[in-house]
Short mmCIF file of all heavy atoms in Angstrom, two decimals:
data_model
loop_
_atom_site.label_atom_id
_atom_site.label_comp_id
_atom_site.label_asym_id
_atom_site.label_seq_id
_atom_site.Cartn_x
_atom_site.Cartn_y
_atom_site.Cartn_z
N SER A 1 -12.89 167.44 126.82
CA SER A 1 -12.20 167.61 128.11
C SER A 1 -11.10 166.58 128.29
O SER A 1 -10.04 166.89 128.84
CB SER A 1 -13.21 167.53 129.25
OG SER A 1 -14.11 168.61 129.17
N LEU A 2 -11.33 165.35 127.84
CA LEU A 2 -10.28 164.33 127.91
C LEU A 2 -9.08 164.74 127.06
O LEU A 2 -7.94 164.57 127.48
CB LEU A 2 -10.81 162.97 127.45
CG LEU A 2 -11.68 162.22 128.45
CD1 LEU A 2 -12.31 161.01 127.79
CD2 LEU A 2 -10.89 161.82 129.69
N SER A 3 -9.35 165.29 125.91
CA SER A 3 -8.27 165.75 125.05
C SER A 3 -7.48 166.88 125.72
O SER A 3 -6.24 166.89 125.70
CB SER A 3 -8.84 166.23 123.71
OG SER A 3 -7.83 166.70 122.88
N ARG A 4 -8.19 167.79 126.35
CA ARG A 4 -7.52 168.89 127.06
C ARG A 4 -6.71 168.36 128.23
O ARG A 4 -5.60 168.84 128.50
CB ARG A 4 -8.55 169.90 127.55
CG ARG A 4 -9.15 170.72 126.44
CD ARG A 4 -10.23 171.62 126.93
NE ARG A 4 -10.78 172.39 125.82
CZ ARG A 4 -11.96 172.96 125.82
NH1 ARG A 4 -12.73 172.89 126.87
NH2 ARG A 4 -12.37 173.63 124.77
N TYR A 5 -7.26 167.39 128.95
CA TYR A 5 -6.53 166.82 130.09
C TYR A 5 -5.27 166.11 129.60
O TYR A 5 -4.21 166.23 130.22
CB TYR A 5 -7.43 165.87 130.88
CG TYR A 5 -6.81 165.48 132.20
CD1 TYR A 5 -6.68 166.40 133.23
CD2 TYR A 5 -6.36 164.19 132.43
CE1 TYR A 5 -6.09 166.05 134.44
CE2 TYR A 5 -5.78 163.83 133.63
CZ TYR A 5 -5.65 164.76 134.63
OH TYR A 5 -5.07 164.41 135.84
N GLY A 6 -5.37 165.40 128.48
CA GLY A 6 -4.20 164.76 127.90
C GLY A 6 -3.15 165.78 127.53
O GLY A 6 -1.95 165.57 127.76
N GLU A 7 -3.58 166.91 126.98
CA GLU A 7 -2.65 167.99 126.64
C GLU A 7 -2.00 168.54 127.91
O GLU A 7 -0.79 168.82 127.93
CB GLU A 7 -3.41 169.10 125.91
CG GLU A 7 -2.55 170.25 125.48
CD GLU A 7 -3.33 171.38 124.81
OE1 GLU A 7 -4.51 171.22 124.48
OE2 GLU A 7 -2.72 172.46 124.63
N LEU A 8 -2.78 168.68 128.96
CA LEU A 8 -2.25 169.17 130.24
C LEU A 8 -1.16 168.23 130.76
O LEU A 8 -0.11 168.68 131.21
CB LEU A 8 -3.39 169.29 131.26
CG LEU A 8 -3.00 169.85 132.62
CD1 LEU A 8 -2.71 171.34 132.53
CD2 LEU A 8 -4.11 169.58 133.63
N LEU A 9 -1.41 166.93 130.68
CA LEU A 9 -0.45 165.96 131.19
C LEU A 9 0.86 165.93 130.41
O LEU A 9 1.86 165.44 130.92
CB LEU A 9 -1.08 164.56 131.20
CG LEU A 9 -2.23 164.37 132.18
CD1 LEU A 9 -2.80 162.97 132.03
CD2 LEU A 9 -1.83 164.65 133.62
N GLU A 10 0.87 166.47 129.21
CA GLU A 10 2.09 166.52 128.41
C GLU A 10 3.02 167.65 128.83
O GLU A 10 4.17 167.71 128.39
CB GLU A 10 1.74 166.70 126.93
CG GLU A 10 1.04 165.52 126.32
CD GLU A 10 0.55 165.79 124.91
OE1 GLU A 10 0.80 166.89 124.38
OE2 GLU A 10 -0.10 164.89 124.35
N GLN A 11 2.57 168.52 129.70
CA GLN A 11 3.34 169.70 130.09
C GLN A 11 4.35 169.35 131.18
O GLN A 11 4.21 168.36 131.90
CB GLN A 11 2.39 170.80 130.57
CG GLN A 11 1.28 171.13 129.60
CD GLN A 11 1.78 171.50 128.23
OE1 GLN A 11 2.65 172.35 128.08
NE2 GLN A 11 1.23 170.86 127.20
N GLU A 12 5.33 170.22 131.33
CA GLU A 12 6.36 170.06 132.36
C GLU A 12 5.78 170.31 133.75
O GLU A 12 4.91 171.16 133.93
CB GLU A 12 7.51 171.04 132.12
CG GLU A 12 8.25 170.83 130.82
CD GLU A 12 9.06 169.55 130.81
OE1 GLU A 12 9.56 169.13 131.88
OE2 GLU A 12 9.20 168.96 129.73
N ASP A 13 6.30 169.57 134.73
CA ASP A 13 5.79 169.70 136.10
C ASP A 13 5.87 171.12 136.63
O ASP A 13 4.95 171.59 137.30
CB ASP A 13 6.55 168.76 137.04
CG ASP A 13 6.15 167.31 136.86
OD1 ASP A 13 5.23 167.02 136.06
OD2 ASP A 13 6.78 166.45 137.51
N GLN A 14 6.98 171.81 136.38
CA GLN A 14 7.12 173.18 136.90
C GLN A 14 6.06 174.10 136.32
O GLN A 14 5.54 174.98 137.01
CB GLN A 14 8.53 173.72 136.64
CG GLN A 14 9.60 173.03 137.44
CD GLN A 14 9.40 173.14 138.95
OE1 GLN A 14 8.58 173.88 139.46
NE2 GLN A 14 10.16 172.38 139.70
N ASP A 15 5.75 173.92 135.04
CA ASP A 15 4.69 174.73 134.43
C ASP A 15 3.34 174.38 135.05
O ASP A 15 2.56 175.28 135.40
CB ASP A 15 4.63 174.49 132.91
CG ASP A 15 5.85 175.04 132.19
OD1 ASP A 15 6.46 176.02 132.69
OD2 ASP A 15 6.20 174.49 131.13
N LEU A 16 3.06 173.10 135.20
CA LEU A 16 1.80 172.68 135.83
C LEU A 16 1.66 173.29 137.22
O LEU A 16 0.59 173.77 137.59
CB LEU A 16 1.72 171.16 135.93
CG LEU A 16 1.56 170.39 134.63
CD1 LEU A 16 1.63 168.89 134.90
CD2 LEU A 16 0.28 170.76 133.94
N PHE A 17 2.74 173.24 137.97
CA PHE A 17 2.72 173.80 139.32
C PHE A 17 2.37 175.29 139.29
O PHE A 17 1.51 175.75 140.06
CB PHE A 17 4.06 173.58 140.01
CG PHE A 17 4.11 174.15 141.38
CD1 PHE A 17 3.47 173.52 142.44
CD2 PHE A 17 4.78 175.34 141.64
CE1 PHE A 17 3.50 174.06 143.72
CE2 PHE A 17 4.81 175.89 142.91
CZ PHE A 17 4.17 175.24 143.96
N MET A 18 2.99 176.03 138.41
CA MET A 18 2.73 177.48 138.33
C MET A 18 1.27 177.75 137.93
O MET A 18 0.64 178.65 138.46
CB MET A 18 3.69 178.14 137.33
CG MET A 18 5.14 178.06 137.75
SD MET A 18 5.48 178.79 139.37
CE MET A 18 5.50 180.51 138.92
N TRP A 19 0.75 176.97 137.01
CA TRP A 19 -0.62 177.19 136.53
C TRP A 19 -1.65 176.73 137.56
O TRP A 19 -2.63 177.43 137.80
CB TRP A 19 -0.86 176.44 135.22
CG TRP A 19 0.08 176.80 134.12
CD1 TRP A 19 0.76 177.99 133.96
CD2 TRP A 19 0.47 175.98 133.03
NE1 TRP A 19 1.54 177.94 132.83
CE2 TRP A 19 1.38 176.73 132.23
CE3 TRP A 19 0.14 174.69 132.62
CZ2 TRP A 19 1.95 176.22 131.08
CZ3 TRP A 19 0.71 174.18 131.46
CH2 TRP A 19 1.60 174.95 130.71
N LEU A 20 -1.41 175.57 138.17
CA LEU A 20 -2.39 175.03 139.13
C LEU A 20 -2.41 175.78 140.45
O LEU A 20 -3.37 175.70 141.20
CB LEU A 20 -2.15 173.53 139.34
CG LEU A 20 -2.55 172.65 138.16
CD1 LEU A 20 -1.93 171.25 138.29
CD2 LEU A 20 -4.06 172.55 138.05
N THR A 21 -1.34 176.50 140.74
CA THR A 21 -1.33 177.34 141.94
C THR A 21 -1.67 178.79 141.60
O THR A 21 -1.57 179.66 142.46
CB THR A 21 0.05 177.27 142.64
OG1 THR A 21 1.06 177.69 141.72
CG2 THR A 21 0.33 175.88 143.17
N ARG A 22 -2.03 179.02 140.35
CA ARG A 22 -2.45 180.33 139.86
C ARG A 22 -1.35 181.40 139.97
O ARG A 22 -1.64 182.58 140.07
CB ARG A 22 -3.73 180.81 140.53
CG ARG A 22 -4.90 179.88 140.29
CD ARG A 22 -6.14 180.46 140.93
NE ARG A 22 -7.22 179.50 140.97
CZ ARG A 22 -8.23 179.47 140.12
NH1 ARG A 22 -8.29 180.34 139.14
NH2 ARG A 22 -9.20 178.58 140.25
N ARG A 23 -0.12 180.97 139.95
CA ARG A 23 0.99 181.93 139.95
C ARG A 23 1.23 182.51 138.56
O ARG A 23 1.76 183.59 138.44
CB ARG A 23 2.25 181.26 140.48
CG ARG A 23 2.10 180.92 141.95
CD ARG A 23 3.31 180.28 142.51
NE ARG A 23 3.04 179.97 143.91
CZ ARG A 23 3.80 179.22 144.65
NH1 ARG A 23 4.89 178.69 144.15
NH2 ARG A 23 3.48 178.99 145.90
N GLU A 24 0.86 181.73 137.54
CA GLU A 24 0.95 182.18 136.15
C GLU A 24 -0.25 181.60 135.40
O GLU A 24 -0.69 180.51 135.72
CB GLU A 24 2.22 181.66 135.47
CG GLU A 24 3.49 182.27 135.95
CD GLU A 24 4.70 181.70 135.20
OE1 GLU A 24 4.53 180.91 134.24
OE2 GLU A 24 5.81 182.03 135.62
N PRO A 25 -0.74 182.32 134.40
CA PRO A 25 -1.81 181.74 133.58
C PRO A 25 -1.22 180.75 132.56
O PRO A 25 -0.09 180.93 132.10
CB PRO A 25 -2.41 182.96 132.87
CG PRO A 25 -1.30 183.95 132.81
CD PRO A 25 -0.46 183.71 134.04
N ALA A 26 -1.99 179.73 132.27
CA ALA A 26 -1.57 178.79 131.22
C ALA A 26 -1.56 179.51 129.88
O ALA A 26 -2.32 180.47 129.68
CB ALA A 26 -2.51 177.60 131.19
N PRO A 27 -0.72 179.08 128.95
CA PRO A 27 -0.55 179.83 127.70
C PRO A 27 -1.69 179.71 126.69
O PRO A 27 -1.80 180.53 125.80
CB PRO A 27 0.74 179.25 127.12
CG PRO A 27 0.82 177.88 127.69
CD PRO A 27 0.22 177.98 129.06
N THR A 28 -2.54 178.68 126.82
CA THR A 28 -3.62 178.52 125.84
C THR A 28 -4.98 178.44 126.55
O THR A 28 -5.06 178.07 127.72
CB THR A 28 -3.45 177.24 124.99
OG1 THR A 28 -3.64 176.10 125.84
CG2 THR A 28 -2.08 177.19 124.32
N GLU A 29 -6.00 178.76 125.81
CA GLU A 29 -7.35 178.70 126.36
C GLU A 29 -7.74 177.27 126.74
O GLU A 29 -8.37 177.05 127.76
CB GLU A 29 -8.37 179.26 125.34
CG GLU A 29 -9.78 179.31 125.86
CD GLU A 29 -9.97 180.20 127.08
OE1 GLU A 29 -9.22 181.16 127.26
OE2 GLU A 29 -10.90 179.91 127.87
N ASN A 30 -7.35 176.30 125.93
CA ASN A 30 -7.66 174.90 126.27
C ASN A 30 -7.06 174.50 127.61
O ASN A 30 -7.72 173.87 128.43
CB ASN A 30 -7.14 173.96 125.17
CG ASN A 30 -8.02 173.93 123.96
OD1 ASN A 30 -9.16 174.38 123.97
ND2 ASN A 30 -7.50 173.40 122.87
N LEU A 31 -5.81 174.86 127.83
CA LEU A 31 -5.17 174.54 129.10
C LEU A 31 -5.82 175.30 130.25
O LEU A 31 -6.04 174.74 131.33
CB LEU A 31 -3.66 174.83 129.03
CG LEU A 31 -2.84 173.87 128.18
CD1 LEU A 31 -1.41 174.37 128.05
CD2 LEU A 31 -2.87 172.46 128.75
N ARG A 32 -6.15 176.56 130.03
CA ARG A 32 -6.82 177.34 131.09
C ARG A 32 -8.16 176.71 131.46
O ARG A 32 -8.50 176.64 132.64
CB ARG A 32 -6.99 178.79 130.66
CG ARG A 32 -5.68 179.58 130.66
CD ARG A 32 -5.88 181.08 130.47
NE ARG A 32 -6.34 181.43 129.14
CZ ARG A 32 -5.55 181.67 128.10
NH1 ARG A 32 -4.23 181.58 128.23
NH2 ARG A 32 -6.06 182.01 126.93
N GLN A 33 -8.89 176.22 130.48
CA GLN A 33 -10.20 175.63 130.77
C GLN A 33 -10.08 174.34 131.57
O GLN A 33 -10.82 174.13 132.53
CB GLN A 33 -10.96 175.39 129.47
CG GLN A 33 -11.48 176.66 128.86
CD GLN A 33 -12.24 176.42 127.56
OE1 GLN A 33 -12.43 175.30 127.12
NE2 GLN A 33 -12.66 177.52 126.95
N ILE A 34 -9.13 173.47 131.20
CA ILE A 34 -9.01 172.21 131.94
C ILE A 34 -8.43 172.47 133.33
O ILE A 34 -8.82 171.81 134.29
CB ILE A 34 -8.21 171.14 131.15
CG1 ILE A 34 -8.43 169.75 131.75
CG2 ILE A 34 -6.74 171.49 131.07
CD1 ILE A 34 -9.82 169.22 131.69
N ILE A 35 -7.57 173.44 133.47
CA ILE A 35 -7.05 173.79 134.80
C ILE A 35 -8.18 174.28 135.68
O ILE A 35 -8.27 173.90 136.85
CB ILE A 35 -5.91 174.83 134.68
CG1 ILE A 35 -4.65 174.14 134.16
CG2 ILE A 35 -5.64 175.52 136.02
CD1 ILE A 35 -3.56 175.08 133.72
N GLU A 36 -9.04 175.12 135.15
CA GLU A 36 -10.19 175.59 135.94
C GLU A 36 -11.08 174.43 136.36
O GLU A 36 -11.60 174.40 137.48
CB GLU A 36 -10.99 176.64 135.16
CG GLU A 36 -10.29 177.97 135.07
CD GLU A 36 -9.88 178.54 136.43
OE1 GLU A 36 -10.70 178.53 137.38
OE2 GLU A 36 -8.73 178.99 136.55
N LEU A 37 -11.27 173.46 135.47
CA LEU A 37 -12.08 172.29 135.82
C LEU A 37 -11.42 171.49 136.92
O LEU A 37 -12.08 171.10 137.90
CB LEU A 37 -12.30 171.43 134.57
CG LEU A 37 -13.18 170.21 134.77
CD1 LEU A 37 -14.59 170.60 135.22
CD2 LEU A 37 -13.24 169.38 133.50
N VAL A 38 -10.13 171.25 136.81
CA VAL A 38 -9.39 170.50 137.85
C VAL A 38 -9.50 171.23 139.19
O VAL A 38 -9.84 170.62 140.22
CB VAL A 38 -7.91 170.31 137.46
CG1 VAL A 38 -7.08 169.80 138.64
CG2 VAL A 38 -7.78 169.40 136.26
N LEU A 39 -9.28 172.52 139.19
CA LEU A 39 -9.32 173.28 140.45
C LEU A 39 -10.74 173.35 141.02
O LEU A 39 -10.92 173.24 142.22
CB LEU A 39 -8.77 174.69 140.22
CG LEU A 39 -7.26 174.76 139.90
CD1 LEU A 39 -6.84 176.17 139.58
CD2 LEU A 39 -6.43 174.18 141.04
N SER A 40 -11.73 173.48 140.16
CA SER A 40 -13.11 173.53 140.67
C SER A 40 -13.54 172.20 141.25
O SER A 40 -14.20 172.17 142.29
CB SER A 40 -14.09 173.99 139.58
OG SER A 40 -14.28 172.98 138.61
N LYS A 41 -13.16 171.10 140.64
CA LYS A 41 -13.50 169.78 141.18
C LYS A 41 -12.79 169.53 142.49
O LYS A 41 -13.36 168.95 143.41
CB LYS A 41 -13.16 168.67 140.19
CG LYS A 41 -13.97 168.70 138.92
CD LYS A 41 -15.42 168.35 139.19
CE LYS A 41 -16.17 168.29 137.86
NZ LYS A 41 -17.56 167.93 138.04
N ASN A 42 -11.56 170.00 142.62
CA ASN A 42 -10.83 169.84 143.88
C ASN A 42 -11.43 170.70 144.97
O ASN A 42 -11.50 170.27 146.12
CB ASN A 42 -9.35 170.17 143.68
CG ASN A 42 -8.58 168.98 143.18
OD1 ASN A 42 -8.30 168.05 143.93
ND2 ASN A 42 -8.27 168.98 141.90
N SER A 43 -11.87 171.91 144.65
CA SER A 43 -12.47 172.76 145.68
C SER A 43 -13.83 172.20 146.11
O SER A 43 -14.19 172.29 147.27
CB SER A 43 -12.59 174.21 145.22
OG SER A 43 -13.50 174.32 144.17
N GLN A 44 -14.55 171.59 145.20
CA GLN A 44 -15.83 170.96 145.55
C GLN A 44 -15.62 169.76 146.46
O GLN A 44 -16.36 169.52 147.39
CB GLN A 44 -16.58 170.50 144.28
CG GLN A 44 -17.13 171.62 143.45
CD GLN A 44 -17.69 171.14 142.12
OE1 GLN A 44 -17.78 169.94 141.87
NE2 GLN A 44 -18.05 172.08 141.27
N ALA A 45 -14.58 168.99 146.16
CA ALA A 45 -14.28 167.80 146.95
C ALA A 45 -13.85 168.16 148.38
O ALA A 45 -14.14 167.42 149.32
CB ALA A 45 -13.20 166.97 146.28
N SER A 46 -13.18 169.29 148.53
CA SER A 46 -12.70 169.67 149.87
C SER A 46 -13.74 170.47 150.64
O SER A 46 -13.54 170.72 151.83
CB SER A 46 -11.39 170.45 149.75
OG SER A 46 -11.61 171.66 149.06
#
């Protein structure tokens, strides 16, 4: 998961925005999995 998160952080902000707001799917399964984890942890926190 740390490796996936590191890969996520290497991406462009506009792409991250589109993926994290679910406007577009991330291009790889690894990125999709870490995005789901980020979003699920944020929804749990709120």
